[in-house]
Amino acid sequence: MSARGVDPRRVMLAGALAIILWAGGAFLWHLTFGRGLSLAVILFLGQDFPALLAGAMALALAAPFVIGRRGGAALAFPAPNARTVLPLIALMALAAWAGHYLVFQDYILSRDEEVARFAAAYMKDGMIGRPIPPEWQLYRRAIMPEFFSPFGAGRYWTAAYLPVNSAVQAIFWRLGDPDVASPVMLAVGLGALWRVALRLFPAQPGAVWAALMMAFTSSQLFVTAMTPYAMTGHFALNMVWLALVLHGRWWSHGAAGLVALVAAGLHQWHFPPIFIAPFILWMLLGRKWGQAAFHVAVLAAIVILWAKIWPAFLIDQLGPATDVRPSAGVADKVGSLFDRLAAKWQPLVNISRFVAWNNLLLLPLAVVGVAGIDWRKALRGRDIALPLALGGMAGLGLSLAQGYGWGFRYAHGFIGPLCLLAAMGWTRLRPDRAARTLWAGCLIALGMAAFLTMRAHDFVAPYAASHRMIRDSGYDVVLIDPRGGLFVTDLVRGDDGQPGLPIVMNLGMLRMEQVEMLCANYSVALFDRAEFRPLGVPLARWSYGRPDALRHRMARLGCEKRPF
């Protein structure tokens, strides 16, 4: 660092080198050393790895050009006021809404998302669970194979997740389109990030723009907002909570407490406490005892409401747990997290995915921001960079296996703090080179975003086509052979979150007598690799077992028909 600031060329070159080493480490660990091709690794290889290599190369090549002409006169930023910022936020939200139809083809890919939409459908109809039609009682687990609530599971199909994300979708569904929900939440989060940046950098419009441009060029924020994932809601409500806390009034802290209670009910209650805990430490260091005590009480209320009262309410309304053991308790949640940390901690691939789906300068600039922390002030609770950094480290450090995700979705709620840290790091760059550095990083991010969005479309397309073929087959029942392709069990679903003809079932979860009853009473079609292969679904390794006996019996009964 010189007297005038950090040379951004060093930041860019160091960032490019770190990206190549980290992504290379992920490749070697998961491929060369035979750690296995999990879903995250498959997505990493097809999407993130090539994007990271190209992006790191572009970052290194751009480094010499951030000086500009004649020593690089500083570029001016416009005032980050409502007239300039709000149209950009609205444009990003509209693009995300359009992307659900253009990129994802109006299809919900993963079981997590589909079950959230399933819950939105019965909430829209004024219910807290979908009654199972009597004729499908015996087949309920083959129709809803996973992510169902155990409470009243013998009579109702109910989502395993907490209800707020689905309730928000249900509200927008009643207004016309549930897929507007995530783009609106994205806009709320970006607006709150803007307000927080204005408060932290009141005399530095460039820093406000640095935080916003990190968010505007985040493929993870943009593409995830095309989906029903609850993570967009976590990003939004975390930033609203922070904006309210920084306002500093008694009423704003009270409102922040309500926001935290709502955020904890989005889908799993443990996410907001991880975000809030570093700020409680910050309050304690600053001797703000009343504020800290209030937010500790909010954390206790989160546990009471969502881990105790909500399950008790479901038991009262739907009935006791059946089919599977209930797992909504505090001990279950904590034990599950530690078990997953021990068995499924994957920092190499997950952080690689996070880096690829965000601006490549996000983490390097955030590191510069953390390096500039005044520890004397921080340990007295007078530097907000400390809780921002602790939260970002927690979000990235808890690198549990996530399955599907565009980027690393478990760190989604911490993108806002990392954008603010990156803005702090940006203020430490040499002023004559800082603006060009920001623009260079954003141009590279936009190029990567175009590639990643295209790859997301290509990955989803075969599954969307399969769903349409199943939906239009004209049969009463369609049986999915789960050996037919990778992740095809997620095709076992209804249409628009509601069961209807055809009823789709997982063949591997049926018994012989159930198959015979289906063949006797309904028109039945089989969907397997003969259909998946032409549509482009990646084929799974074939294994012989009980489904072969079921299929042999179907063939003898003459009901192993093809959808087309």
Side-chain angles (χ1 to χ4, degrees), residues 37-200:
L37 284 177
S38 65
L39 175 55
V41 174
I42 290 172
L43 293 173
F44 166 73
L45 291 175
Q47 300 171 1
D48 315 319
F49 191 62
L52 286 171
L53 293 183
M57 185 179 299
L59 198 63
L61 292 174
F65 297 97
V66 299
I67 298 176
R69 298 178 180 177
R70 298 179 182 177
L75 298 177
F77 287 94
N81 53 33
R83 182 175 297 179
T84 55
V85 173
L86 293 184
L88 293 174
I89 292 175
L91 182 63
M92 191 168 179
L94 284 171
W97 175 63
H100 174 75
Y101 298 93
L102 298 175
V103 178
F104 285 87
Q105 301 150 75
D106 196 20
Y107 178 68
I108 297 171
L109 180 64
S110 71
R111 177 70 63 190
D112 306 71
E113 302 163 85
E114 195 277 328
V115 78
R117 181 57 54 84
F118 180 84
Y122 59 68
M123 289 182 185
K124 173 180 67 73
D125 295 337
M127 298 181 287
I128 60 170
R130 178 74 63 186
I132 302 173
E135 64 269 26
W136 302 119
Q137 283 277 347
L138 292 175
Y139 309 96
R140 61 182 184 274
R141 289 289 68 85
I143 298 171
M144 177 73 78
E146 55 186 346
F147 294 155
F148 60 88
S149 168
F151 304 113
R155 296 184 298 126
Y156 296 92
W157 283 313
T158 310
Y161 290 133
L162 296 174
V164 172
N165 178 40
S166 296
V168 173
Q169 293 182 52
I171 291 170
F172 281 95
W173 205 337
R174 295 295 295 267
L175 295 174
D177 187 354
D179 294 304
V180 175
S182 287
V184 167
M185 295 302 282
L186 174 64
V188 169
L190 291 172
L193 173 64
W194 168 54
R195 299 307 301 176
V196 171
L198 285 173
R199 183 171 292 275
L200 296 184

Side-chain angles (χ1 to χ4, degrees), residues 51-52 55-56 219 355-358 360 443-453:
L52 286 171
S219 301
V355 172
W357 286 77
N358 286 281
L360 291 186
L443 288 174
I444 293 169
L446 290 175
M448 293 176 63
F451 170 78
L452 291 168
T453 303

Side-chain angles (χ1 to χ4, degrees), residues 86 99 146 193 252 363 391 408 460 478 522 541:
L86 293 184
E146 55 186 346
L193 173 64
S252 66
L363 292 187
F408 181 45
V460 172
V478 173
Y522 303 97
R541 180 177 298 177

Side-chain angles (χ1 to χ4, degrees), residues 262-478:
V262 173
L266 279 168
H267 83 302
Q268 294 192 56
W269 59 260
H270 68 274
F271 280 96
I274 296 173
F275 177 84
I276 293 170
F279 292 96
I280 293 177
L281 174 62
W282 174 61
M283 295 170 192
L284 292 172
L285 291 173
R287 298 179 181 273
K288 299 175 181 178
W289 312 117
Q291 293 179 12
F294 172 75
H295 290 287
V296 168
V298 170
L299 297 189
I302 285 173
V303 175
I304 294 171
L305 175 60
W306 296 117
K308 299 297 184 182
I309 295 177
W310 178 252
F313 171 76
L314 292 180
I315 291 173
D316 179 70
Q317 295 295 311
L318 303 177
T322 57
D323 288 352
V324 296
R325 181 180 67 89
S327 57
V330 179
D332 289 302
K333 178 64 67 179
V334 174
S336 173
L337 287 175
F338 278 103
D339 289 343
R340 294 179 67 190
L341 271 174
K344 297 184 178 181
W345 190 55
Q346 299 177 341
L348 285 171
V349 68
N350 289 329
I351 294 177
S352 292
R353 304 212 67 213
F354 183 85
V355 172
W357 286 77
N358 286 281
N359 192 305
L360 291 186
L361 288 178
L362 177 65
L363 292 187
L365 286 178
V367 169
V368 175
V370 172
I373 290 177
D374 184 336
W375 288 101
R376 290 184 179 180
K377 292 175 60 177
L379 294 177
R380 294 175 182 172
R382 295 166 56 193
D383 191 342
I384 197 172
L386 179 60
L388 293 175
L390 291 175
M393 291 171 61
L396 293 174
L398 296 173
S399 292
L400 302 176
Q402 64 170 5
Y404 283 111
W406 313 107
F408 181 45
R409 58 186 169 91
Y410 289 165
H412 206 80
F414 298 93
I415 293 177
L418 288 170
C419 290
L420 296 169
L421 283 173
M424 294 176 185
W426 182 86
T427 63
R428 302 187 69 231
L429 301 182
R430 288 184 53 167
D432 59 333
R433 301 175 181 179
R436 288 183 174 85
T437 303
L438 183 59
W439 283 113
C442 289
L443 288 174
I444 293 169
L446 290 175
M448 293 176 63
F451 170 78
L452 291 168
T453 303
M454 178 187 68
R455 295 297 291 153
H457 171 276
D458 293 344
F459 185 88
V460 172
Y463 297 97
S466 298
H467 175 68
R468 289 192 295 268
M469 182 180 285
I470 292 168
R471 183 189 60 197
D472 298 336
S473 66
Y475 287 85
D476 296 329
V477 176
V478 173

